[in-house]
Amino acid sequence: MVTIMDKLQTKEKQSDLRMTRQRRLILEELDTPGMHPTADTVYQRVRRRIPNISLGTVYRNLEILSQAGMVKKLHIGSGQKRYDRTLHRHYHVRCVKCGFISDVPAEPFGDLEEAARGSSEFDILGHDLEFEGLCENCKGDGIQQHQD
Amino acid sequence: MVTIMDKLQTKEKQSDLRMTRQRRLILEELDTPGMHPTADTVYQRVRRRIPNISLGTVYRNLEILSQAGMVKKLHIGSGQKRYDRTLHRHYHVRCVKCGFISDVPAEPFGDLEEAARGSSEFDILGHDLEFEGLCENCKGDGIQQHQD
DNA sequence: GTGGCTGCAAAGAATTTGCATGGGC
DNA sequence: GCCCATGCAAATTCTTTGCAGCCAC
């Protein structure tokens, strides 16, 4: 089991990262704006350019990049984990019908944490906010399948 | 794969629910205040009273109860799903060190969704807010393991 | 050159599902 | 009695890991 101590330690090592072809292409895929791909989606896409890359490598890299703070792991919806290139802080909306995830360009609400501090014994360090709703496609009762 | 249509349909059927011994005890476990157990934790606890209950039954029931709106499925942290008896709307804090999850008794922020509506094409229906922080035990650098 | 990184494959963890039987209503 | 619910076990799905060779620095 990976402990937080592992995480904290790994975070220090981010300068050691070697920029392999695999890692560079994985990062490139994540740079596509508005994407919140699963590990498998990243795998499928990078495979177009490195046909024999392994899914294990993709998982390993997403984990490493996530611990280095270059990528954010999202635990949205009930399915697989998703990954988001962390450029600036933002929120997400998930379509309750098709699962499509989109960015919400709203400014982070700073006072949320202040309010939580008043009613919890925790040291509050941050927050994640996820909206639920119906995406453009699903508003009209259409049952389309959205992409990542 | 379970689609949203399945979900919506099942939601209508909530009156069909039979109150079996298994289902009742699962609900009882979830009634314990402040608990956010995983399926396996529920299984372990109910097993004390129904030794031969199966893990599959626990999963099936948690899913059914969740779709009936009696239980909320939480996707917090990276690990297993957790389940929360839905009595009233509230938020959660997760300890980044030990993973302990606690309720935040703060009142829901209604204006969050209003703000999101302004900057998204989605029909916003709701939101989930999760705080991150350090729990009482972990504040002092202790690396204790919290329970559910 | 060396230590991190990769591909491959097998293992592991979490959850779902098929089927025959059992039990709530 | 009907039909949903259960126990059991196998199957799926997603993710991690061991290992020998490879490659970025």
Side-chain angles (χ1 to χ4, degrees), chain A residues 39-53:
Chain A
D40 195 68
T41 300
V42 173
Y43 171 59
Q44 298 298 343
R45 296 180 70 93
V46 173
R47 216 144 77 104
R48 298 180 190 160
R49 303 215 256 159
I50 310 181
N52 67 329
I53 192 176

Side-chain angles (χ1 to χ4, degrees), chain A residues 4 96-97 125 128 130 132, chain B residues 4 96 125 128 130 132:
Chain A
I4 295 294
V96 296
K97 218 166 190 178
L125 300 175
D128 274 312
E130 176 198 332
E132 298 169 341
Chain B
I4 295 295
V96 295
L125 299 175
D128 274 312
E130 176 199 333
E132 299 169 340

Side-chain angles (χ1 to χ4, degrees), chain B residues 63-100:
Chain B
E63 182 60 29
I64 288 168
L65 293 171
S66 152
Q67 299 198 344
M70 304 173 73
V71 162
K72 184 157 170 43
K73 206 189 284 188
L74 306 178
H75 316 294
I76 294 188
S78 48
Q80 299 113 290
K81 292 168 191 141
R82 287 170 178 277
Y83 299 86
D84 197 11
R85 187 74 200 263
T86 45
L87 300 171
H88 50 77
R89 191 81 172 78
H90 62 272
Y91 298 129
H92 296 106
V93 219
R94 176 179 47 86
C95 178
V96 295
K97 217 164 188 177
C98 73
F100 176 62

